[in-house]
Amino acid sequence: MKIPKRIQPLVDDGLVDEVKSQLMSGKEASVYIVRCGETIRCAKVYKEISQRSFKKAAAYREGRKVRNSRRARAMEKGSGFGRDQQEKVWQNAEVDALYKLAAAGVRVPQPFGCFDGVLLMELVTDDEGYVAPRLNDVLMSEEQAIEDHLVMMSYVVKMLCVGLIHGDLSEFNVLVDEYGPVIIDLPQAVDASANNNAEWMLTRDINNIRDYYAQFAPQLAQTEYAKEIWSLFEKGELKPDSELSGTYQEVETAADIDIIMQEIDAARAAELERRERAKEASEGIDDSKFNWSES
């Protein structure tokens, strides 16, 4: 296929030898299957801020640290240079998160670097070499759902232990290969300690995953992993290997109406986002019929 303009510099520099096809086009990025020497990988091309429709990006950026004071001041002022630097921070957040999470034992695609808004990374495939399906396209037994849900909760815990929350985790941001779930799409990863929205974002992430697996294992719908995990995190007792029960004993306090309304608004926004994701998935380019292990 014709080489996309944003990938051409990588071809010129010898990082990419061939663009095989477009895998998908989403709200934040387009993903292409590329050949790098004898290896098939994927190239994630981030869309310009004017074309990107990711909602409430500022809420996700809160707490992200920028070491260069000049950059930080420019980003605060919203100057042209500042907006350009903000884009670089947004794009680099994903590759930084991928390296950090892989080191923490979370299954994510292996990154190979981010070059001018193009992230080169591993193409996740199934046991036959086909592009791995997203979780929302996978049917499973009750036993498998319970097992994979526990794996996902362990990943959420490991992420939180290195200070990160996915921030947009759902069945649309998880791939499933022969070894189980693989978490993808992390440019909006949240700083758990510095972001005021951290708790409800974590809760939304966990409950999205819970609700999907509960379709196959209804008993999961009664679990309270979000409250349990956040409580351990707040108390400084959360460890990568913490044993979770999925239960939580509520402490009776006076209701905070502002917090309740915030949770209601967040739930509504999350449902709208999920519907958009489902529509996007149904309209996206499905390349799963191609086996790239033989390319």
Side-chain angles (χ1 to χ4, degrees):
M1 66 172 287
K2 182 179 179 181
I3 299 173
K5 181 179 179 181
R6 298 278 297 283
I7 298 181
Q8 185 63 54
L10 279 69
V11 175
D12 296 340
D13 291 342
L15 295 169
V16 170
D17 294 295
E18 180 186 2
V19 179
K20 290 283 191 179
S21 66
Q22 185 176 35
L23 179 59
M24 60 83 67
S25 180
K27 293 180 299 181
E28 296 92 51
S30 294
V31 180
Y32 297 86
I33 294 179
V34 301
R35 179 174 62 82
C36 304
E38 299 300 318
T39 306
I40 300 298
R41 294 175 178 164
C42 63
K44 182 173 185 178
V45 181
Y46 294 101
K47 292 185 176 179
E48 301 290 346
I49 190 169
S50 59
Q51 300 175 319
R52 202 169 59 222
S53 59
F54 191 84
K55 294 181 175 59
K56 299 182 179 178
Y60 292 83
R61 291 195 300 261
E62 181 182 315
R64 288 186 179 175
K65 299 177 179 63
V66 179
R67 294 180 181 178
N68 186 298
S69 58
R70 176 171 172 260
R71 288 181 180 179
R73 288 194 300 271
M75 287 162 61
E76 282 184 13
K77 293 179 180 178
S79 65
F81 173 75
R83 289 192 296 273
D84 179 64
Q85 294 304 306
Q86 188 67 72
E87 279 299 283
K88 290 181 179 179
V89 170
W90 178 267
Q91 294 163 6
N92 289 332
E94 180 157 29
V95 69
D96 290 345
L98 289 173
Y99 281 119
K100 183 179 287 189
L101 295 183
V106 178
R107 291 198 68 219
V108 294
Q110 180 183 356
F112 299 102
C114 191
F115 310 90
D116 293 326
V118 180
L119 171 60
L120 270 182
M121 57 184 170
E122 171 192 6
L123 177 66
V124 181
T125 59
D126 63 16
D127 57 345
E128 296 182 353
Y130 293 93
V131 176
R134 283 185 286 194
L135 180 58
N136 69 296
D137 292 323
V138 176
L139 299 177
M140 65 194 79
S141 66
E142 178 180 333
E143 181 181 9
Q144 190 65 58
I146 293 173
E147 180 181 333
D148 285 2
H149 177 262
L150 283 175
V151 169
M152 286 297 295
M153 292 303 100
S154 74
Y155 288 165
V156 169
V157 168
K158 289 175 181 176
M159 290 175 70
L160 196 52
C161 284
V162 294
L164 292 178
I165 294 170
H166 188 287
D168 192 32
L169 190 60
S170 73
E171 64 270 25
F172 301 106
N173 290 326
V174 178
L175 300 180
V176 182
D177 67 6
E178 61 179 314
Y179 302 107
V182 180
I183 295 176
I184 62 172
D185 292 340
L186 288 146
Q188 73 295 314
V190 172
D191 185 322
S193 298
N195 193 304
N196 290 323
N197 304 296
E199 181 179 0
W200 72 258
M201 286 183 181
L202 177 76
T203 298
R204 183 180 62 181
D205 282 357
I206 292 176
N207 290 348
N208 281 344
I209 295 301
R210 176 199 65 191
D211 294 346
Y212 184 79
Y213 284 113
Q215 297 177 85
F216 309 101
Q219 61 269 41
L220 292 176
Q222 307 305 316
T223 58
E224 294 285 1
Y225 283 98
K227 293 178 180 178
E228 180 184 14
I229 290 171
W230 185 257
S231 176
L232 290 171
F233 176 70
E234 277 194 316
K235 291 185 289 187
E237 298 176 1
L238 189 68
K239 302 292 186 293
D241 58 353
S242 289
E243 291 188 14
L244 304 175
S245 65
T247 61
Y248 179 75
Q249 185 65 44
E250 293 278 5
V251 177
E252 292 188 8
T253 57
D256 188 321
I257 301 301
D258 289 339
I259 292 178
I260 293 173
M261 292 306 299
Q262 183 181 24
E263 291 178 351
I264 291 173
D265 290 341
R268 288 173 178 166
E271 180 58 27
L272 288 174
E273 186 75 15
R274 285 166 62 82
R275 291 179 183 178
E276 289 181 11
R277 288 278 185 180
K279 181 180 179 182
E280 179 184 305
S282 66
E283 295 176 351
I285 297 175
D286 181 9
D287 214 34
S288 60
K289 59 182 177 293
F290 296 105
N291 186 322
W292 296 108
S293 64
E294 300 174 359
S295 299

